[in-house]
Structure formats: structure tokens, C-alpha cells
Amino acid sequence: MEYNAFGFGQIQRIQGKVITTGMNKEINTYNDNQASDDKEICELLATTIDSELTEAESKIWHAHPVWFLDGNPIVGYSKQKSGIRLMFWSGADFEDDNLSIRGKKFKDASIFYNNVSEINTKDLINWLIKSREIQWDYKNLIKRKGKLERLK
């Protein structure tokens, strides 16, 4: 049995590519297509999210990895000019100064990483716990004509 470099989950190597057991194959492909430093960040984020939000569905949505609870987007990450952006859809209500609030209309909040050493996994796990407890209804945003309602 082999474990990934971050101590989370089993991995297997297929044709030289690292596949984390149980991780969405499209997300593995997304991570594999990143530059070396970004790939390490993405792998740690994906593995940690998968290990904490075990009930979540994950997929590539709008070209980047996103995790959903009951069809509602919760957390995702994407490569941007400023680095890898980790975004929580309801993160503005987490009341954490380490997350930057991006929009005023919606409840999202983000943090950017440029090196895997910048990731505080304790903070990440706390945000993931909060993401389960604090949710705004993005799933029905269009049906409600852009009006958000709190779920939890």
C-alpha cells in the first residue's frame, strides 16, 4: 500500500501518473495538467477536501474542480494569475480573516496559494467543517432570480 506525499489516501501509479484512490478522475486530470508547484497544491487540496467532505459529489464544473453537497456548490479551486484560488461559496460567513471576500452580491470567499507550504491544513479542515454547517442556496439561484437564501 502506498500513500501520497501528504499522508492522505491511497495512490496508484498508472502510466507514470499518480491517481489518488477514490478521487474523481477528471479532477486527477485537471491536477496533472498543472505546473509542478500548482499540481502539488491541487493534489493536497483535492485529497483534503475528499477526506473531509466524504459525502460530497465532486466534478469539473465551469472548467475547474468543485465539490457539492446535495447539488449545492460548496468548495472548489482554480488556476488564476495570482495562483491557485481556493473558493468557498458560503465562505463570507465563516468570519475568518484569512479568507478574502470577493463579491458583495454573493457569499463567496477565497484564498490564493503559490506554494504547497502556504497551506495550513488545520485552517483548511476548519473551513471544510464550516462549509458543511454554513450554506447558502446556490443550486436554486437562477430559479430565485439571483436571490440567495440561507440553507444552514
Side-chain angles (χ1 to χ4, degrees):
M1 184 179 306
E2 185 178 1
Y3 291 89
N4 70 15
F6 310 108
F8 297 106
Q10 279 186 277
I11 64 169
Q12 50 182 183
R13 297 179 191 282
I14 299 173
Q15 297 177 345
K17 296 193 181 221
V18 173
I19 305 294
T20 303
T21 303
M23 187 181 296
N24 180 304
K25 290 178 184 173
E26 291 176 328
I27 292 174
N28 268 318
T29 300
Y30 178 93
N31 295 346
D32 282 343
N33 288 332
Q34 304 305 313
S36 180
D37 285 348
D38 292 339
K39 181 179 175 181
E40 280 187 83
I41 294 166
C42 292
E43 287 177 348
L44 178 55
L45 293 175
T47 308
T48 306
I49 295 166
D50 276 344
S51 69
E52 291 301 314
L53 295 180
T54 56
E55 73 277 28
E57 171 195 358
S58 61
K59 62 184 175 182
I60 299 295
W61 192 53
H62 298 287
H64 64 274
V66 177
W67 282 255
F68 298 80
L69 293 176
D70 298 322
N72 199 38
I74 301 299
V75 62
Y77 57 84
S78 61
K79 171 65 178 160
Q80 299 187 359
K81 287 182 184 179
S82 301
I84 299 295
R85 177 186 180 208
L86 174 66
M87 185 181 97
F88 292 91
W89 266 256
S90 300
D93 287 342
F94 293 1
E95 297 179 2
D96 190 309
D97 293 337
N98 292 319
L99 293 174
S100 300
I101 298 171
R102 303 261 305 178
K104 301 207 188 264
K105 183 176 179 184
F106 298 113
K107 301 289 184 176
D108 61 300
S110 304
I111 187 168
F112 284 88
Y113 299 111
N114 290 290
N115 190 288
V116 73
S117 65
E118 297 171 352
I119 300 173
N120 180 326
T121 52
K122 189 174 181 178
D123 285 346
L124 176 55
I125 291 168
N126 285 334
W127 297 329
L128 292 167
I129 291 167
K130 287 180 180 182
S131 73
R132 186 184 285 118
E133 297 168 353
I134 300 169
Q135 290 183 40
W136 287 84
D137 187 5
Y138 286 92
K139 177 173 65 173
N140 295 305
L141 189 64
I142 294 171
K143 187 188 326 182
R144 290 199 178 101
K145 299 178 182 177
K147 184 177 185 231
L148 275 178
E149 287 187 11
R150 180 107 184 227
L151 292 174
K152 297 180 179 185

